[in-house]
Amino acid sequence: MNSVRHRQQAQQQDADLLLRIGKQIHFSENEGKALVNQFKYLTKDNKVARQDKLDRSQFREVLQSTFKMTDDIIMDRLMRAFDTDADSCVNLSEWILGLSVFLRGTLEETIVFCFNVYDLNGDGFISKEEMFHLLKNSLVKQPTEEDPDEGIRELVDISIKKMDGDRDGRLSLQDFASAVREDSLLLEAFGQCLPAPEIKDRFLATLSTKL
C-alpha cells in the first residue's frame, strides 16, 4: 500500500514539475512525459542518495552514447550548463530544461548556451587562452606538423579578427552573438556543444516511444 502511495506521489510531483516549467520548454506535454520516463530509466539503479539525479559519470555516458560527444572539456562544460544549481548532478528539472535548449533552442538561446560552454572560467568572456585550449583539445593533429600549436594559434587570431567587435582581444557575449547572427556556422566555432542534426532527430523520435 505504501509503495502504491509513494508511486502516486512521485507521479503527481512529476506532473506538477511539467506544469511549472511547461511554458519554458520547447516540448509538448507528451514529449515532456517521455523525458520524465527516460530520466527515471536512467536513474532507476541509483542509490537513495542520488536516486533522482544523474551524476557526472552518468551524464557523460548519455552525452557519449546518445549524442556522440567525445570532447572531455566540452562534456564537462555541458554538465555545468545543465547543472544550474551547481550540486554536481543533473536533476529532472535541469534535465528537461537543459535538453530544451540543447535540442530545440532558439538561436538566441543557443548563442547564450554555447557561449557559456566556451567561457571556461565563467568570467563573462572567451579569452584567447580559452579559445586555444578548446581548439587544441578538439582538432586532430597531423603527424607531419612540426608545430601543431602554431596552426591553432593562427585559428585563434583569425577568430579574434572575425568575431571581436570591440577589438579588446577577447569575446564578450555581445561579440559572440553579433558574429553568430552574421554567420550561424560560428555558433560552434570552438568545439561541438550541440548534437548533430541526425542524432538530435533520432533522439527526438524516441520521445514518441514508450520505454
Side-chain angles (χ1 to χ4, degrees):
M1 196 66 164
N2 286 337
S3 62
V4 172
R5 187 181 300 111
H6 177 74
R7 186 164 61 252
Q8 290 174 337
Q9 289 175 342
Q11 290 172 344
Q12 186 59 52
Q13 288 173 351
D14 296 338
D16 290 344
L17 169 64
L18 290 175
L19 184 63
R20 188 168 68 251
I21 66 174
K23 293 183 178 180
Q24 303 175 53
I25 59 177
H26 304 299
F27 297 116
S28 68
E29 182 179 349
N30 286 336
E31 288 173 331
K33 290 177 180 178
L35 287 171
V36 170
N37 289 338
Q38 289 187 342
F39 187 85
K40 299 293 185 182
Y41 180 80
L42 291 169
T43 58
K44 65 183 175 62
D45 295 325
N46 286 9
K47 294 180 179 179
V48 174
R50 288 285 184 262
Q51 188 171 11
D52 298 319
K53 295 182 180 182
L54 291 171
D55 63 20
R56 179 177 177 273
S57 63
Q58 289 174 310
F59 186 75
R60 284 172 66 95
E61 173 60 26
V62 172
L63 292 177
Q64 290 172 323
S65 63
T66 302
F67 298 111
K68 309 306 177 187
M69 298 282 179
T70 57
D71 189 303
D72 286 331
I73 294 175
I74 294 291
M75 285 192 287
D76 281 344
R77 293 299 303 170
L78 285 171
M79 175 77 183
R80 289 177 180 269
F82 273 68
D83 177 24
T84 55
D85 64 4
D87 68 346
S88 300
C89 290
V90 173
N91 61 36
L92 177 58
S93 176
E94 292 169 337
W95 164 256
I96 297 174
L97 289 166
L99 286 177
S100 178
V101 177
F102 190 62
L103 297 170
R104 285 188 175 152
T106 65
L107 179 60
E108 297 306 311
E109 287 173 335
T110 53
I111 284 173
V112 174
F113 183 85
C114 292
F115 180 86
N116 288 336
V117 169
Y118 298 143
D119 178 14
L120 300 181
N121 65 2
D123 68 350
F125 296 93
I126 306 172
S127 66
K128 286 185 177 181
E129 291 75 16
E130 287 169 326
M131 293 180 205
F132 182 85
H133 197 48
L134 287 160
L135 291 170
K136 184 176 183 179
N137 200 57
S138 63
L139 295 179
V140 177
K141 297 181 180 64
Q142 299 300 322
T144 55
E145 291 181 288
E146 292 184 6
D147 183 8
D149 288 355
E150 183 60 32
I152 297 170
R153 282 191 285 270
E154 289 177 5
L155 279 177
V156 170
D157 289 341
I158 291 170
S159 298
I160 285 290
K161 287 180 182 178
K162 187 173 183 64
M163 302 175 75
D164 180 19
D166 57 9
R167 303 300 179 212
D168 66 349
R170 58 186 183 175
L171 300 185
S172 65
L173 176 58
Q174 183 176 349
D175 291 331
F176 185 72
S178 296
V180 172
R181 291 188 195 109
E182 289 184 12
D183 182 355
S184 61
L185 292 178
L186 294 173
L187 182 63
E188 295 182 273
F190 308 115
Q192 182 191 359
C193 48
L194 297 169
E198 65 275 12
I199 293 173
K200 176 179 67 174
D201 291 343
R202 192 180 308 142
F203 178 83
L204 290 171
T206 67
L207 301 186
S208 61
T209 303
K210 292 183 178 180
L211 292 170

